[in-house]
Structures are given as C-alpha cells and as structure tokens.
Amino acid sequence: AGLVSSQLLPTGEEDQVVLEALLSHSHLLTAVAFYRQGCGDWGLLAPEWAAAAAQLRHVIGFVSLNIDKSLRVASKYLKHEDGKARPAVLLFVPEARGGHRIVRMDTRKTRRRDELLLFLTAHMPDYVQVLKDKDGSHARFLAHPMPKLVYIADQTHVLPVYKALSAELREQVIIGEVRRSEFAVFRQYGPDALPSFLQIVENSQGRIIALLAYDFTRSNAMSFASLAFFVSLAAKEWRQIK
C-alpha cells in the first residue's frame, strides 16, 4: 500500500473515483473537509486545516472538496444538513478487517490547529502493542512469527508517526512500545538514550541474536520516510534469515 499524501483534490465528477481510489490504497486515516466557497466558517477553518495538514502530511491523508463542484461525492457521504451552514469534516478510519468507518468532526467545537491535531491523531489507526511483563504481552510479542521492532520512550501515548508506521506496514512487521515505567521489560533492552527504536534480529530458530538501533541523530530522523525505510529494511533482512 502506498502512503497517502496531503492534497487538495481536483473538483469535478472524477472526485468520487479519485477519493475511492485514495481510500482503497492506504491503511492510513483520511480526513476530508467539505466546504462551500465564500462560507465564513470555512474561511476561519481553512488556515487551521492547512496548518494541521502541513504538520501531519506524511501520516494522515488530507482532502478538501468544494461541495458545489463535487456533488456526487457530497451526496454519497454527507447528511442532508451537512455543509449547509458550516463546513463538514469526515474522517475515514481504516478498519482492521477492511473498509472504513466514518467519524464526523464537530466543526463548531474543533477549529484551532491544536484542537484539530488532537482530534485527528486520536482517531488514527494504531497497531502498536504496548509491551508489559505481568500481562504476558511482551512474551506474546516475542513469540509472534513476524519481523519485530521496539520503540522505547518516556511518553504515555503512542506518537502519530508510529501509529502510521504500525498501520501502513502492519502486513510486514509488528511494532511494540516499551515505556520506562515498565521496568521489567525496559531493562531487557537497556537503551543508552531515549527515544530508541530497535530492530530485533532473530536467527532461523527465532532466538534473539542482536538489537540494531535506529540513528536518531541524523537529519530528518523523525520523518515517516526515514523510519519507514528502516522498518522495511528490517522486514527484508528478517525474511532473508528465515
């Protein structure tokens, strides 16, 4: 599946085809803003929407559609009252078994960039497994017959870029998260610094023989593209060993 990039789709009858193609070729969240030209509320929301899109452009797909020029798409997805008095924002959230569920954002309450960021990232699909010792989740993670990577951090929430990696590459790898507070698991990886992103290298029998650390000191280290390359390479090396 390819990465969805933020974009303003061309308006016209082809919009529905383009949007459907966009939704069917990614495991990432797609956020669609339906607006009418000259709408005062859209005039206020648009710059905040653009700022959020710029910040999350590699991990969420952003689409803006003029309702009057995209009637086929609007009639398919919008309720009767949507988009009349104010813009309508729909989130297409990928489901694990395929397809999407639609979440409507209340544009009366969510308008500022920081509010948009919180709402959007909270609805991103997330397959990162938080690893603990007592509930057995760490042991199950290690026993899983797929390439494995571990992100080690101080945060109590999964960062958007790791949510995106876990969703877009979930058919290739599994990603676990270890938090400093989970000391029994944390000490097994012994990172020198945080954050740390480790490739677990296994032999053909599934025994861990090495941990390879991602280099966070290089430029663009936190970009989706750089992290995705590291993950894809880990998956390729795992298949070669197996």
Side-chain angles (χ1 to χ4, degrees), residues 21-242:
L22 188 68
L23 294 174
S24 65
H25 285 86
S26 177
H27 298 299
L28 302 181
L29 174 70
T30 299
V32 183
F34 294 87
Y35 69 94
R36 280 194 162 88
Q37 200 67 41
C39 170
D41 280 352
W42 174 244
L44 295 173
L45 179 62
E48 303 295 313
W49 178 259
Q55 185 166 340
L56 297 173
R57 64 187 181 278
H58 296 304
V59 296
I60 294 176
F62 284 81
V63 178
S64 301
L65 292 176
N66 185 323
I67 294 174
D68 296 320
K69 294 182 179 180
S70 307
L71 295 177
R72 290 180 62 197
V73 182
S75 63
K76 179 175 181 179
Y77 293 113
L78 296 185
K79 295 180 179 179
H80 180 69
E81 67 276 10
D82 285 340
K84 289 189 174 180
R86 60 183 58 86
V89 173
L90 306 185
L91 306 187
F92 293 80
V93 184
E95 301 274 54
R97 297 181 179 179
H100 297 77
R101 62 183 174 89
I102 297 177
V103 176
R104 283 173 162 76
M105 188 185 83
D106 188 344
T107 55
R108 295 170 298 179
K109 298 179 180 178
T110 308
R111 291 173 176 244
R112 299 196 313 269
R113 182 183 66 90
D114 57 337
E115 295 170 339
L116 288 168
L117 292 175
L118 284 173
F119 187 83
L120 292 167
T121 55
H123 287 87
M124 290 177 67
D126 178 9
Y127 299 97
V128 175
Q129 302 179 24
V130 178
L131 306 179
K132 299 181 180 181
D133 182 55
K134 290 185 177 180
D135 67 0
S137 56
H138 184 226
R140 290 192 297 272
F141 173 80
L142 293 178
H144 201 289
M146 282 185 72
K148 305 169 189 68
L149 295 104
V150 175
Y151 174 65
I152 307 173
D154 276 330
Q155 288 93 356
T156 57
H157 60 278
V158 179
L159 295 177
V161 69
Y162 292 101
K163 288 185 178 183
L165 285 169
S166 74
E168 188 70 3
L169 302 174
R170 68 188 181 91
E171 296 176 358
Q172 299 181 41
V173 301
I174 55 172
I175 298 175
E177 179 174 309
V178 177
R179 296 171 182 169
R180 187 194 288 271
S181 57
E182 189 63 28
F183 184 69
V185 179
F186 179 85
R187 67 181 180 181
Q188 295 184 42
Y189 295 96
D192 295 325
L194 296 180
S196 183
F197 194 35
L198 305 174
Q199 172 191 349
I200 297 178
V201 182
E202 301 172 295
N203 63 18
S204 57
Q205 286 76 45
R207 306 186 90 181
I208 298 176
I209 56 176
L211 296 171
L212 300 182
Y214 178 74
D215 184 5
F216 279 103
T217 64
R218 63 181 183 174
S219 60
N220 298 320
M222 284 301 295
S223 72
F224 181 94
S226 295
L227 287 162
F229 179 77
F230 178 74
V231 173
S232 297
L233 188 60
K236 181 179 179 180
E237 292 173 350
W238 184 89
R239 288 193 297 270
Q240 290 173 343
I241 292 173
K242 293 296 182 179

